[in-house]
Amino acid sequence: MFERVREDIQSVFHRDPAARNAFEVLTCYPGLHAVWLHRLANLLWTSGWKWLARLVSNFGRWMTGIEIHPGAKIGRRFFIDHGMGIVIGETAEIGDDVTLYQGVTLGGTSWNKGKRHPTLEDGVVVGAGAKVLGPFTVGAGAKIGSNAVVTKEVPPGATVVGIPGRIIVKDDPELQAKRQAMAEKIGFDAYGVTQDMPDPVARAIGQLLDHLQAVDGRLEGMCQALTELGSDYSAKELPALRDEDFAGVKAEEDKSAQ
Ligand SMILES: CC(C)(COP(=O)(O)OP(=O)(O)OC[C@H]1O[C@@H](n2cnc3c(N)ncnc32)[C@H](O)[C@@H]1OP(=O)(O)O)[C@@H](O)C(=O)NCCC(=O)NCCS
């Protein structure tokens, strides 16, 4: 038991730069008190002392402003920072090393019995005020932005923000540079919209440009090989891309950017 308490305190030091010493953490972190009371409540709940379990859980809520149903399953090194206003439902399951900030709800969207609350895998971080609603899984290491409302499965490692929650994609800088070069080459920037914008047409054009870029590279290599073999095939001119052909598209882009 003391080992668990020690690792709980360590997890505060790892995740809150404001924590100064063990005594302060022991006495001034309501998130820890809520977790310890939950362990007792959960033990009572699984031993069949349901009412007593609810009473302990309710006492924890009075003391800390954090409501954890005694039936919720919580892993190790669970860290609740600040905590006020957190609600964790009966069938929620939380892995190891998960962090929640104040105002988070792990709730249900139906009144049916059975699994109706989310499962957070190891290492998930849920930002202040976020609502995660429904019996789906948030994959290991995923981050939920503050104030997001998430009602669908989140893949491991993803970051979700906004209402409704959407995954933000961070492209690797090398791919972005290549795309920019291709866009400049053909005189049309299909990426005038941000990458995380859910515009299927822009995304499809983006994919085509990536493909074009790869074909271009391969053709250049083939032409070089042909030249080395003495062929003049690659000397033939390609038809030029004319700016005027893209004028309409650019005008539309400028209009939507305003
Ligand atoms: C979602 C989060 C994890 C993303 O962190 P990150 O991976 O470092 O991402 P960035 O800060 O680079 O932001 C990426 C994009 O998402 C946007 N974004 C970040 N957090 C957002 C949020 N909560 N809601 C909406 N958009 C958000 C950013 O503005 C940025 O948009 P841009 O690419 O158009 O400029 C983080 O912003 C967050 O909300 N953490 C919770 C922290 C918290 O609750 N702290 C409480 C302490 S008391």
Side-chain angles (χ1 to χ4, degrees):
M1 186 179 115
F2 288 112
E3 185 49 38
R4 291 289 292 269
V5 170
R6 192 172 304 134
E7 73 176 19
D8 290 336
I9 293 172
Q10 280 309 319
S11 72
V12 176
F13 285 123
H14 288 146
R15 286 175 258 171
D16 183 6
R20 293 185 312 145
N21 55 58
F23 181 71
E24 186 181 273
V25 171
L26 262 175
T27 50
C28 302
Y29 275 72
L32 277 190
H33 306 151
V35 170
W36 292 333
L37 283 166
H38 170 71
R39 282 191 197 140
L40 173 62
N42 183 251
L43 187 70
L44 292 166
W45 185 262
T46 50
S47 313
W49 297 86
K50 306 277 186 201
W51 176 82
L52 205 53
R54 290 300 297 259
L55 194 72
V56 171
S57 159
N58 205 33
F59 174 70
R61 179 172 170 272
W62 281 346
M63 298 295 291
T64 63
I66 297 165
E67 183 175 330
I68 310 177
H69 191 285
K73 294 191 182 112
I74 296 181
R76 299 177 73 149
R77 298 175 297 279
F78 178 46
F79 177 48
I80 296 177
D81 204 0
H82 308 291
M84 184 61 83
I86 284 183
V87 176
I88 300 176
E90 180 186 358
T91 61
E93 290 165 77
I94 296 176
D96 295 336
D97 302 298
V98 169
T99 306
L100 305 188
Y101 290 96
Q102 69 275 15
V104 167
T105 300
L106 304 183
T109 51
S110 88
W111 291 332
N112 299 334
K113 288 209 178 284
K115 175 81 174 158
R116 58 194 184 283
H117 303 106
T119 296
L120 310 189
E121 290 184 343
D122 297 350
V124 166
V125 177
V126 186
K131 315 287 176 251
V132 188
L133 309 173
F136 54 85
T137 299
V138 179
K143 290 181 193 160
I144 311 285
S146 49
N147 286 329
V149 176
V150 182
T151 55
K152 291 192 183 104
E153 186 116 352
V154 177
T159 299
V160 176
V161 299
I163 304 174
R166 64 191 162 82
I167 295 173
I168 50 175
V169 184
K170 288 186 188 170
D171 275 334
D172 98 69
E174 203 180 318
L175 178 64
Q176 272 184 1
K178 278 187 184 168
R179 285 177 163 182
Q180 188 61 36
M182 175 55 81
E184 275 164 20
K185 191 169 172 185
I186 68 170
F188 165 57
D189 184 7
Y191 305 102
V193 288
T194 61
Q195 279 304 289
D196 55 335
M197 197 166 169
D199 179 341
V201 179
R203 275 192 177 278
I205 295 175
Q207 295 297 326
L208 283 174
L209 283 184
D210 287 346
H211 188 73
L212 201 58
Q213 164 102 16
V215 172
D216 216 33
R218 196 170 288 182
L219 268 180
E220 262 173 40
M222 283 163 68
C223 287
Q224 209 174 336
L226 281 174
T227 311
E228 278 164 20
L229 290 171
S231 163
D232 66 346
Y233 179 74
S234 57
K236 287 173 192 150
E237 285 293 314
L238 284 174
L241 287 165
R242 297 171 313 163
D243 271 359
E244 359 7 319
D245 292 338
F246 294 97
V249 184
K250 274 195 163 295
E252 279 300 315
E253 261 196 315
D254 292 344
K255 217 189 292 168
S256 57
Q258 280 163 10

